[in-house]
Amino acid sequence: MSAAAAALRALHHDRSPDDPLVLPNVWDAGSARVFADAGFPALATPSAGVAASLGYADGATPADEMFAAVARIVRAVDVPVTADVEAGYGLSARELVGRLADAGAVGCNLEDSDHGTGALRDPREQADFLAAVRAEAGDALVVNARIDTFLRGQAGLDAALERARHYAAAGADCLYPILAPPEVLPELAAAAPLPLNALARAGGPGPRELGALGATRITFGGGLHHAAMATLAEVAERLRAGRDA
């Protein structure tokens, strides 16, 4: 097991509700350095933010470009990096684990629906894929299993928890029921067999609030990139109007 993977995995455990693991989502080497220099112990990449920085729509980034972007981020910082690799780009478990290792990532998000069709994958098939990833990686990869039931219109807890149990049994380290409403997090956290990742969104509960609701790990998706671009757009408007930046 790599020291960086062990460090990232350890950050998910023995946390108090008012101190969840906050993983800023960084999209390039420069943004990664900003958050690493601020003292965050680990970083995550967002597929949406990386895609936008490369000129693609979310879900349309070619695998080679995504892994190259992750590698640049990893090289830029001295903290563990976990990468959003969407649904795995159609790669086999061996190929996926190899590409992540080559990029230097010690964790990954793997989602259980398709960007193009929006279809949810059968939970047993997804569990088989996660188990194969675990078998190939051993302890050298922290696997965050994304559960897309809330994203894809299945609002009940039962569907999410069924997937949670399958993915935990397959060897995932963390569960990510993306877009789960904050009010269901306490029940999800009580029933889920692994730490929960919650998405912090603009206008919604902040990291500490989400931690108090049961989330162990907090990420931001493309939100930080969007906020940075909104700030840059304001600078552009001031410059266009002849004012100081």
Side-chain angles (χ1 to χ4, degrees):
M1 173 168 45
S2 75
L8 178 60
R9 184 172 286 109
L11 288 169
H12 290 73
H13 297 283
D14 300 320
R15 307 199 72 91
S16 63
D18 64 348
D19 182 35
L21 172 60
V22 176
L23 292 178
N25 290 98
V26 299
W27 55 92
D28 60 12
S31 60
R33 289 193 181 112
V34 167
F35 286 102
D37 289 347
F40 287 92
L43 303 172
T45 70
S47 65
V50 172
S53 74
L54 296 174
Y56 294 103
D58 188 20
T61 309
D64 287 350
E65 293 196 45
M66 182 63 77
F67 287 112
V70 172
R72 289 191 292 272
I73 289 167
V74 170
R75 286 197 300 268
V77 296
D78 292 324
V79 299
V81 174
T82 179
D84 182 347
V85 289
E86 303 178 286
Y89 305 110
L91 300 172
S92 69
R94 175 169 293 182
E95 291 170 326
L96 178 63
V97 170
R99 296 294 297 270
L100 285 163
D102 289 344
V106 295
C108 68
N109 277 14
L110 285 168
E111 58 199 49
D112 61 358
S113 69
D114 179 76
H115 269 282
T117 66
L120 284 161
R121 190 172 189 186
D122 179 88
R124 291 174 178 80
E125 292 180 2
Q126 181 71 359
D128 288 344
F129 181 57
L130 293 173
V133 169
R134 172 58 66 216
E136 289 291 338
D139 290 333
L141 193 66
V142 177
V143 177
N144 189 33
R146 205 177 90 175
I147 297 170
D148 286 2
T149 52
F150 295 99
L151 174 66
R152 302 304 181 189
Q154 294 187 15
L157 289 176
D158 289 346
L161 288 172
E162 177 193 6
R163 289 171 182 267
R165 288 188 285 270
H166 282 298
Y167 303 166
D173 295 283
C174 189
L175 301 166
Y176 183 14
I178 188 169
L179 296 187
E183 61 269 19
V184 308
L185 285 177
E187 191 172 352
L188 271 174
L194 292 173
L196 285 188
N197 186 147
L199 176 68
R201 305 172 73 192
R208 286 192 177 184
E209 294 173 275
L210 291 169
L213 290 170
T216 297
R217 163 173 158 160
I218 311 298
T219 52
F220 304 85
L224 299 181
H225 176 266
H226 184 269
M229 292 300 101
T231 298
L232 190 58
E234 292 175 2
V235 172
E237 286 298 321
R238 290 198 296 272
L239 291 175
R240 182 70 179 83
R243 300 193 299 271
D244 292 339

